[in-house]
Amino acid sequence: MTTTAIPTAAEELLGFIQCSTSPFHVVEESAKRLLRAGFQELKPADSWRLAAGGRYFLRVYGSTLLAFVVGEKPLKSHGTPLLMAAAHTDFPCFRLKPEAGMTRDGCGTLNIETYGGLILRTWLDRPLSLAGKIVLRGKDAFHPEVRLVDFQKPLMTIPSLAIHMDRDVNKDGALNAQKDMLPLAALLGKDAEEDFFLAWLAEACETERDAILSYDLGAYPCETGCTFGLRDEFISSPRLDNLTSVLACLKGIEEAHPTQGIRLIALFDNEEVGSRTKQGAGSAVLGDVLRRIYQDLSGESDAVCRALADGFLLSVDVAHAVHPSHAAKSDPVVRPALAAGVVLKQAASQSYAGDAEASAVVRALAEEHEIPWQRFVNRADSRGGSTLGAIASSFVPVRTMDIGAPILAMHSARETMGAADQESLERLLTAFLA
């Protein structure tokens, strides 16, 4: 029997996802890649001294990252293109509430809340771990110590109720996030501590319980991603939404060596909850960074406005592929398929950013580089989803187009995509940011 080798792009994607278990870890892993690729880290609170040919990145509150490359020739007043791509670092999951430990009938469960629009039932009966950050006492109140943590082993599960106790589970199966989705994490005796979780967390992090001031921890499935199919033509993995796009943006900016202008990627947090945070696409971050870049390099107060008028932004997020068992949920004509190329997403409501010119630009670029592409639109009787493109371009007015890789089971604990589509997406981002 012959086997088909896993595409390199799919292998790299699975490795990136395995390391990126929280938005903070996505940014940490992205920073490591950029440093290896010769980028210099900037601090938002510092003064910047940028140079032609420079390669830079900055982190914003630990879960958002922007990276940019300056062209080799000096920045001119006009005719030096500003090309940008954006994706998001967050994903639907369960986040722990403060004082998370709860004792029930001798068992220790964890008090959680949903982050983003999860498909709840897909999280049942899976081994789950925790990743994020803990914040410890520092040298003074305004300088706490922040420590990233990823426990990288099964710590808990959310057990289903047996069918014998819920005979109608296969008819409706409705779940209540507060009542039905509390992870089982410990067996406790009668004299269990009031917050057993905090005691465990201090021990696991080799610190004192009183030293932990706060934490931001999310659950993630421990099962690693994999390829599957008779010819390894599919990828099954957690967090395809939206780490497919994050990796494609990173690879595009790593390969960028423009003669003129600015190439930039923005990896925003909080897209899954609306983007309207200090580190989201609905914040001032992108506009502020662009103003600093253009002011430093050109010294002209209106340089960024002129650049935006001539610029272009790709908003990169996953798209819905036609589901083979639910084909009627898709548009009757525009029906994107797995492994058939990058999807150009359009909506008359502007829930996806784009216009006729933007669509034409991306289509022409894909065809010039022989990159497969396809379209997505919602059914006329379906509201559909949205992403960060329309939000970001309303704060930073620039021509924008929403694109992405098509997937199935979006917002499941484990999603599915065509293995070939990651390579297509990366090729498009590389061509765009060249």
Side-chain angles (χ1 to χ4, degrees):
M1 177 183 297
T2 60
T3 59
T4 303
I6 300 172
T8 301
E11 285 185 313
E12 188 173 4
L13 174 63
L14 291 172
F16 182 72
I17 290 172
Q18 185 68 14
C19 297
S20 303
T21 49
S22 77
F24 310 109
H25 288 85
V26 174
V27 166
E28 181 73 10
E29 189 65 20
S30 300
K32 291 177 182 177
R33 289 184 61 104
L34 292 169
L35 288 169
R36 289 196 297 268
F39 283 71
Q40 174 187 342
E41 183 166 7
L42 304 172
K43 303 295 183 183
D46 292 346
S47 295
W48 298 350
R49 294 293 179 266
L50 308 179
R55 303 167 73 78
Y56 307 99
F57 76 94
L58 63 147
R59 309 182 218 206
V60 182
Y61 297 110
S63 59
T64 286
L65 180 145
L66 290 85
F68 59 95
V69 177
V70 181
E72 295 290 342
K73 294 184 178 180
L75 205 62
K76 295 181 179 179
S77 298
H78 57 85
T80 54
L82 168 62
L83 300 178
M84 302 180 288
H88 64 88
T89 63
D90 61 324
F91 33 81
C93 67
F94 292 102
R95 297 280 177 90
L96 293 195
K97 293 180 180 178
E99 302 180 25
M102 300 173 64
T103 303
R104 291 185 167 190
D105 296 306
C107 293
T109 61
L110 298 181
N111 198 12
I112 51 84
E113 57 185 322
T114 58
Y115 178 89
L118 297 82
I119 304 176
L120 293 178
R121 66 177 178 269
T122 65
W123 285 77
L124 296 173
D125 304 313
R126 293 180 181 273
L128 304 174
S129 192
L130 289 169
K133 66 181 178 183
I134 61 171
V135 184
L136 308 174
R137 295 185 190 278
K139 62 181 182 180
D140 59 53
F142 288 96
H143 297 88
E145 177 190 346
V146 178
R147 188 183 301 179
L148 294 192
V149 293
D150 180 358
F151 295 102
Q152 298 182 328
K153 67 175 185 178
L155 295 175
M156 54 197 182
T157 193
I158 305 171
S160 298
L161 182 62
I163 194 169
H164 313 82
M165 299 177 181
D166 185 5
R167 293 290 183 181
D168 295 328
V169 65
N170 291 322
K171 294 180 182 178
D172 56 69
L175 295 167
N176 179 285
Q178 184 64 68
K179 181 173 69 72
D180 300 316
M181 304 302 293
L182 300 181
L184 175 64
L187 280 174
L188 304 172
K190 294 181 180 179
D191 300 324
E193 294 192 51
E194 185 175 339
D195 189 345
F196 68 90
F197 175 72
L198 189 59
W200 174 85
L201 184 62
E203 181 181 355
C205 296
E206 299 182 342
T207 189
E208 296 297 321
R209 177 171 169 166
D210 289 343
I212 300 176
L213 297 174
S214 63
Y215 53 76
D216 187 341
L217 297 171
Y220 71 90
C222 288
E223 305 131 315
T224 58
C226 65
T227 58
F228 73 98
L230 302 184
R231 294 177 176 82
D232 279 322
E233 59 262 59
F234 303 107
I235 297 174
S236 170
S237 178
R239 304 184 293 284
L240 293 178
D241 179 9
N242 188 31
L243 297 189
T244 60
S245 305
V246 169
L247 182 57
C249 288
L250 287 167
K251 291 182 75 70
I253 201 69
E254 288 167 2
E255 295 296 323
H257 292 90
T259 301
Q260 287 187 323
I262 302 294
R263 304 295 185 269
L264 180 146
I265 64 168
L267 309 178
F268 292 111
D269 195 6
N270 302 130
E271 188 276 343
E272 298 292 358
V273 291
S275 294
R276 302 191 186 279
T277 64
K278 64 186 183 301
Q279 64 267 35
S283 73
V285 165
L286 179 57
D288 285 350
V289 169
L290 287 172
R291 278 187 287 275
R292 293 184 70 173
I293 292 170
Y294 279 85
Q295 181 64 34
D296 186 86
L297 290 170
S298 74
E300 299 173 348
S301 60
D302 64 345
V304 69
C305 297
R306 297 199 306 273
L308 288 169
D310 245 357
F312 203 103
L313 169 65
L314 287 182
S315 168
V316 194
D317 200 351
V318 290
H320 296 290
V322 173
H323 195 301
S325 298
H326 302 278
K329 294 289 185 181
S330 296
D331 182 81
V333 178
V334 181
R335 302 168 73 79
L338 296 175
V342 178
V343 176
L344 282 59
K345 300 189 283 185
Q346 295 177 257
S349 68
Q350 288 295 293
S351 57
Y352 298 122
D355 54 27
E357 291 94 331
S359 177
V361 166
V362 179
R363 173 179 175 175
L365 181 66
E367 291 177 352
E368 285 175 12
H369 292 269
E370 299 183 340
I371 299 167
W373 66 276
Q374 49 191 329
R375 296 190 192 276
F376 172 84
V377 293
N378 293 304
R379 282 177 56 100
D381 56 0
S382 173
R383 182 172 65 89
S386 62
T387 185
L388 58 83
I391 295 170
S393 59
S394 68
F395 284 85
V396 180
V398 63
R399 177 155 277 146
T400 303
M401 188 68 198
D402 265 303
I403 67 167
I407 71 170
L408 298 174
M410 191 184 296
H411 288 201
S412 171
R414 198 173 180 101
E415 299 158 324
T416 295
M417 69 180 288
D421 286 325
Q422 184 64 23
E423 182 180 359
S424 297
L425 186 65
E426 291 175 6
R427 287 179 59 208
L428 183 62
L429 267 293
T430 300
F432 174 74
L433 294 169

